[in-house]
Amino acid sequence: MKNYVIILICVLVSGMAWGQNKSKNLMGVKVTPPKFTGIEEIVTLKTEANSIGNYLATHFDIFDKHHSYEGTEVVQFSVTPKGDIENFKIINSVSPQIDEEIIRILKKTNGMWKPGLNNGIPVAMVKDVALEIRPNDDDGLPVNTDYMEKAQYYFAKGSKNFFIKKNFKKALKNYDNGMCYKPYDKSLRLLRGLCRYELGYIEEAHQDWELLRELGGTDMADKLADYDLKSLKGYKEYIAMFSENEK
């Protein structure tokens, strides 16, 4: 019996750089990302019916009446030149139970992928799959939580703890909760990195900023304009990290 539904948000390739089915030409090199076929034999699809989202939703099977886990699960893995998948890494966890279930299903898709191509030659590539996890209510319908609203709530709460109360541990917990719903929110990722830096979690802060760089950075003139970022210990290092990548 199931009491959860999953909704595919996106499938991203090579560290969140490209869309699922778009080829790229980089300095004369044509790179084509891997594609899920949903069938045992590797063939060209003429429909999106066999999407990885549909496959995961069909095979996902967790019933837990004691918990109502919700959030956005992000799993990263490599697609080999043979169309198998390996090197699983949880980028954003909703719960350990759901982590295990998603990886269990993904392992069943070995041989169901068209490998990525570099100038027509199959090569290994990294993919990220982002999925909204929603519990069902007593009538079997998905709980209609507004994930953006939840993320904004925790962003505001975390920023109050961070900038006004100077309670960095509580702020970090708030940012973690916000990113559980919107792991690709740029402002949340920037501030969580700065908060981690203040707490001495330097490596983790760099991980947040590196993912932020791959997402295209963030606009300081938006909802971050009201915060004194320059007074933070990690801000100069964050700026320097972006400057080095632009050289």
Side-chain angles (χ1 to χ4, degrees):
M1 183 184 298
K2 301 180 183 179
N3 73 334
Y4 290 91
V5 295
I6 64 174
I7 304 169
L8 180 68
I9 302 302
C10 54
V11 182
L12 303 164
V13 182
S14 299
M16 297 184 282
W18 305 330
Q20 178 184 7
N21 300 312
K22 295 181 180 179
S23 299
K24 289 285 182 179
N25 287 286
L26 302 175
M27 299 179 64
V29 179
K30 184 177 181 181
V31 180
T32 303
K35 185 176 181 180
F36 179 70
T37 67
I39 51 181
E40 297 293 341
E41 298 176 359
I42 298 177
V43 297
T44 301
L45 284 181
K46 296 182 180 179
T47 175
E48 293 299 320
N50 290 339
S51 72
I52 185 61
N54 286 340
Y55 187 92
L56 288 166
T58 299
H59 292 81
F60 187 84
D61 192 7
I62 287 182
F63 178 75
D64 189 342
K65 63 182 180 180
H66 301 295
H67 295 91
S68 294
Y69 300 117
E70 62 179 21
T72 301
E73 181 89 4
V74 182
V75 183
Q76 186 180 89
F77 54 89
S78 300
V79 180
T80 72
K82 294 183 178 180
D84 293 330
I85 58 175
E86 59 186 17
N87 301 327
F88 297 96
K89 181 180 180 181
I90 302 297
I91 303 298
N92 200 66
S93 174
V94 174
S95 78
Q97 185 181 17
I98 288 174
D99 297 344
E100 293 177 4
E101 177 66 3
I102 294 296
I103 291 177
R104 179 191 71 81
I105 303 168
L106 284 171
K107 286 180 176 179
K108 294 170 68 69
T109 68
N110 269 341
M112 298 184 185
W113 295 83
K114 289 185 66 177
L117 303 176
N118 188 329
N119 277 346
I121 299 173
V123 295
M125 288 190 187
V126 175
K127 293 181 74 73
D128 291 8
V129 177
L131 304 146
E132 282 189 0
I133 308 297
R134 294 179 178 270
N136 288 331
D137 59 22
D138 292 338
D139 296 322
L141 299 174
V143 175
N144 191 25
T145 302
D146 187 327
Y147 280 16
M148 180 57 72
E149 186 177 282
K150 282 274 193 177
Q152 291 173 345
Y153 167 78
Y154 284 116
F155 174 85
K157 191 173 182 179
S159 297
K160 182 177 181 180
N161 281 316
F162 192 17
F163 292 97
I164 298 175
K165 295 184 176 181
K166 305 297 181 182
N167 191 329
F168 303 133
K169 289 186 177 180
K170 280 190 176 180
L172 180 57
K173 185 176 181 180
N174 296 147
Y175 292 142
D176 284 342
N177 287 338
M179 289 189 63
C180 181
Y181 291 96
K182 289 292 179 182
Y184 296 142
D185 185 282
K186 297 177 181 181
S187 297
L188 269 171
R189 189 165 290 280
L190 169 58
L191 292 189
R192 190 177 74 168
L194 291 169
C195 188
R196 282 174 159 178
Y197 197 97
E198 291 288 328
L199 288 167
Y201 307 144
I202 309 302
E203 183 178 349
E204 291 84 352
H206 285 187
Q207 290 172 357
D208 269 336
W209 297 337
E210 179 60 28
L211 287 170
L212 178 59
R213 183 190 67 80
E214 294 176 355
L215 288 168
T218 188
D219 183 359
M220 297 299 180
D222 63 5
K223 58 185 178 182
L224 296 173
D226 296 332
Y227 301 107
D228 183 15
L229 302 182
K230 294 182 180 179
S231 66
L232 300 173
K233 290 187 296 185
Y235 184 71
K236 288 185 179 179
E237 191 161 335
Y238 159 75
I239 293 297
M241 185 176 177
F242 268 65
S243 299
E244 289 173 2
N245 282 296
E246 291 174 357
K247 292 179 182 179

